[in-house]
Amino acid sequence: MNTSILDCVVEQLKDMPENLQQQVLEYARALAGSKIQGVPGQQLLRFAGALPTDDIHLMREAIEQDCEQVDTSEW
């Protein structure tokens, strides 16, 4: 597919009423202003070892058992 994301968005906008185009513009501006900035890993080293190893193993087990599982009958 040679069509850029920008071209696709513009094509979608062309078919929208002006009030929806305005909402898209506001949303794009909000996204542009919410740039997430991280910190260098070097600054995080002071937290290394802050959690006891046993707690880390318990957290890993809980994640493996309860996360990434979809209950199709839930909905």
Side-chain angles (χ1 to χ4, degrees):
M1 184 166 95
N2 293 333
T3 308
S4 73
I5 293 173
L6 182 58
D7 292 336
C8 291
V9 171
V10 169
E11 285 302 312
Q12 291 295 314
L13 285 169
K14 287 179 182 178
D15 296 332
M16 289 182 185
E18 190 172 338
N19 65 318
L20 293 180
Q21 291 177 9
Q22 183 65 37
Q23 286 182 14
V24 171
L25 176 59
E26 291 169 10
Y27 182 64
R29 285 180 175 159
L31 287 176
S34 65
K35 294 182 180 172
I36 298 173
Q37 294 182 347
V39 297
Q42 188 71 26
Q43 291 180 14
L44 299 175
L45 287 176
R46 64 188 172 115
F47 297 108
L51 295 175
T53 305
D54 292 342
D55 289 352
I56 293 172
H57 290 300
L58 289 172
M59 289 175 11
R60 178 178 285 150
E61 287 177 17
I63 290 169
E64 288 174 355
Q65 290 176 9
D66 298 328
C67 295
E68 297 184 16
Q69 296 181 15
V70 177
D71 183 356
T72 56
S73 63
E74 181 179 20
W75 298 94

